[in-house]
Every structure is written in C-alpha cells, then in structure tokens.
Amino acid sequence: MIEVERCSKSFRRTQVLDDVSLVIPAGERAALVGANGAGKTTLIRCLLGEYECDGAVRLGGESPRAFRTRVLRRVGFVPQIPPPLKMPVGSLIRFAADLCGTDPRKIGEVAARLGLDVAALAPRAFSKLSGGQKQKLLIAVALREGVDVMILDEPAANLDPEARASFFELLARRDHGTTMLISSHRLDEVAALVHRVVEMDRGRVVLDDRIADSDALDARLRCRLELRREEPSAARVLREWGFRPTEAGTVWQGSVAAADRLRFFGMLARYSGLVADLQLRAGDGSDA
C-alpha cells in the first residue's frame, strides 16, 4: 500500500507539492499523469525517501525516509532517466540481488523475457548500453522477487513493441497484492495498464478517478492489415512490430498487445492513406 497524507514540498520559494493526499491500496495499479513540472517526479522521490517533506509518506505502513533500506528492499523502481552507472552489467546484477536478498539468476531470467542476454553483456559498463538495453535491465531488477510496491516512471518508453508486450505480460503475472504506481506525461501510454488515474497539476492532485475495466495486461489482439500498395517505410515499421507479409506483399499479419493498441494506432496514423483494411480480433496471435 502507498499512503501520502498532506504532503507538501518546496524548493526555496517554489512550491512543488501542495498538500497532496493519496492512498493506493495493495493490489491496485494507478497511473500518475500530468505535464512536465506538475510535481510527479518530486512526489516519486518523496515516496522513495530521497526527499524530506511536510506531511506523511508511507509504503507498506512504514516511512521510506526513516526506514529507507528496509522499505526499499520491497520496492521495485524504474526511473525515467537511467543513472550514469559505470559498473559492469554482471556486477550491477549481483549488487542489486545482494542488496535485495534475491537470486541474480532470477533477474537474468526476467531480462531474457525482455530480449536481453545479460551473460553476453556482463562485462560491459551499464553506461555503455543502449537506451533500450538499460531500460530492460532496470525493469528486470525492479521485477525481482520480494517486491510488493512498484514505482515505474515512463517504464516502457525505450522498449521495442515485442519487449513492451513481454513487459505487460510480466506485470500481469505479478502477485495480486503488488501495488503499482506508473508515471507518465501521457495518459494514452498507460491507460490500458491501470485501474485508476491520478492527475497532477502545479503540485496538486486535480483528478483521481477509476477507469473502465480493460483487457488483461497479457491479452493480445490478432491483426490483419491490408495496404493499398507496397511502401518500404511502412514495411520497415510493421516488421519492427513483429508483422510478416503474405505472398501478396500488401497484406500483413501479426499480433499486438492489447495494452499497446493505442500506440499501434498512433503508428498507423502516419500511414492512414495506405490502409485499405484493418482487422483486430481477440487472441494470442499465434495463428495470425
């Protein structure tokens, strides 16, 4: 459970958080949305115990500021901007596993599900990885065993479509008692992942509402897409999404994670003049 009670935070004369109160029960997935400067990042840092603030903040009933080491052992965190760590990947995984009391092989298994071969990358410095590789490794550490609170800041921003689908499946397999707070500046990026939306503006909560039930996080949609003509740029993007053409070359088949459908439609909007037919059906896409 995440509890924020009348939390306020100022930097010099600038009020960044203004009397924020919020309760996210165990097992609930909530989106934290708002424009840049709304106070989302400052609130997250208060939740992680990085900042002192007026009011009270509790994770699982304990203050992350007063009992930081003990509380953060149970928290999985994915930052929006990866830290500039020069530590080798293998050492980083072992360090994270030791700190959290988990098996480093479990972190490697989660990374593999996301398409990251940690054995091959073990000697490389974390700072030398690509943006997507860094994101996958941070997610693998955050999804370790023993986590009951997850705080994710733009978690899938640097992931390719297949890795995003795997990420959604991994979230769906989390214990129902795991509390998740997923931050984003765009609601359409996270709406399908959550039960509830909390919007911030100028340091205050301006909206706190539940959303309609959506598809399961691990649900997939089978897709058949017909183009009016062959187009190399569209073909390249569709292949990135895991689609394959039929013999005709203008008919493509594949599958899309249900939680990623808005992102998929946004991609298709760039080629709307080419689309002759689009069919989406519930299913795992295995025979698409």
Side-chain angles (χ1 to χ4, degrees), residues 9-282:
K9 177 66 179 176
S10 297
F11 295 101
R12 297 182 179 178
R13 297 182 179 180
T14 303
Q15 184 89 22
V16 182
L17 295 178
D18 186 5
D19 201 35
V20 174
S21 292
L22 179 66
V23 176
I24 304 175
E28 187 165 86
R29 299 192 302 269
L32 182 66
V33 301
N36 291 333
K40 304 187 306 298
T41 298
T42 300
L43 178 60
I44 287 174
R45 289 181 175 175
C46 290
L47 291 173
L48 296 172
E50 295 180 18
Y51 290 161
E52 291 182 344
C53 62
D54 296 329
V57 174
R58 292 180 291 273
L59 300 183
E62 294 188 309
S63 165
R65 186 73 180 177
F67 305 101
R68 195 171 185 207
T69 300
R70 186 165 70 198
V71 171
L72 293 187
R73 284 175 65 95
R74 310 195 317 268
V75 176
F77 173 55
V78 177
Q80 180 181 7
I81 301 175
L85 299 175
K86 296 182 180 179
M87 185 183 298
V89 168
S91 299
L92 177 59
I93 292 175
R94 289 191 295 273
F95 174 78
D98 290 343
L99 186 66
C100 305
T102 190
D103 187 340
R105 290 175 297 182
K106 297 291 185 181
I107 296 176
E109 289 171 4
V110 175
R113 289 284 305 276
L114 295 168
L116 190 68
D117 185 350
V118 295
L121 295 173
R124 291 185 61 184
F126 177 81
S127 60
K128 299 297 183 181
L129 301 182
S130 69
Q133 290 172 328
K134 291 176 182 176
Q135 196 80 347
K136 291 173 183 179
L137 184 55
L138 292 172
I139 289 172
V141 173
L143 288 172
R144 66 188 182 274
E145 294 179 338
V147 168
D148 53 29
V149 174
M150 299 190 68
I151 299 174
L152 313 174
D153 195 354
E154 303 280 4
N158 292 315
L159 300 184
D160 57 82
E162 279 304 306
R164 286 171 65 90
S166 297
F167 173 56
F168 300 147
E169 292 170 2
L170 288 165
L171 286 185
R173 284 163 171 71
R174 297 301 301 184
D175 184 270
H176 292 300
T178 302
T179 304
M180 298 185 196
L181 182 64
I182 306 175
S183 176
S184 178
H185 67 283
R186 292 179 53 185
L187 178 58
D188 62 345
E189 286 284 319
V190 294
L193 308 180
V194 298
H195 311 120
R196 175 180 167 193
V197 174
V198 177
E199 183 177 0
M200 294 187 67
D201 185 38
R202 298 182 182 182
R204 298 183 66 90
V205 173
V206 295
L207 173 70
D208 186 349
D209 201 4
R210 299 191 68 81
I211 64 174
D213 290 340
S214 58
D215 295 302
L217 284 177
D218 56 353
R220 295 188 70 90
L221 303 173
R222 290 183 290 178
C223 180
R224 180 185 182 277
L225 175 66
E226 183 177 350
L227 302 179
R228 299 184 189 279
R229 65 178 187 275
E230 294 188 37
E231 172 57 52
S233 62
R236 176 180 54 79
V237 174
L238 287 169
R239 289 186 187 279
E240 290 175 357
W241 279 81
F243 278 61
R244 294 292 179 267
T246 62
E247 292 182 3
T250 56
V251 177
W252 294 74
Q253 294 183 339
S255 68
V256 178
D260 228 9
R261 72 176 78 185
L262 291 179
R263 189 181 181 92
F264 178 68
F265 290 152
M267 178 277 293
L268 281 185
R270 293 180 293 178
Y271 305 102
S272 57
L274 285 175
V275 177
D277 185 58
L278 173 65
Q279 299 176 22
L280 285 173
R281 293 185 296 165

